[in-house]
């Protein structure tokens, strides 16, 4: 089961990340809500069950493919 990510704009309670020398804002980091965490936990739990049901050879093939893709970048 593929993980489904939901992206959105969140209000942040923490200040944006900035360079201390110039105070230039580099990025603003979103804050997750408890609902976001609950969704992530449920998706991870479902994905783990699917992963555990796969044969070792299938899991190895997925890991090799992921390693190959990561090494390309």
């Amino acid at each position: 089961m593929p993980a489904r990510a939901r992206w959105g704009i969140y209000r942040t309670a923490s200040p944006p990340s900035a360079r201390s020398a110039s105070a230039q804002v580099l990025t603003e980091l979103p804050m997750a809500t408890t609902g976001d965490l609950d969704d992530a936990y449920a998706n991870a739990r479902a994905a783990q069950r699917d992963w555990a049901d796969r044969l070792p050879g299938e899991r190895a093939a997925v890991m090799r493919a992921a390693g190959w893709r990561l090494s390309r970048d």
Side-chain angles (χ1 to χ4, degrees), residues 23-72:
Q24 173 190 10
V25 174
L26 301 175
T27 188
E28 291 192 23
L29 304 173
M31 298 291 286
T33 65
T34 55
D36 295 330
L37 296 175
D38 290 341
D39 290 346
Y41 179 79
N43 286 334
R45 188 174 185 153
Q48 194 285 325
R49 288 182 188 134
D50 182 57
W51 183 253
D53 288 341
R54 296 186 180 272
L55 296 172
E58 291 178 282
R59 293 193 300 253
V62 169
M63 298 303 288
R64 281 192 299 272
W68 180 78
R69 287 186 180 143
L70 290 171
S71 70
R72 290 179 35 198

Side-chain angles (χ1 to χ4, degrees), residues 8-14 28-33:
I9 298 173
Y10 303 95
R11 296 188 187 275
T12 180
S14 60
E28 291 192 23
L29 304 173
M31 298 291 286
T33 65

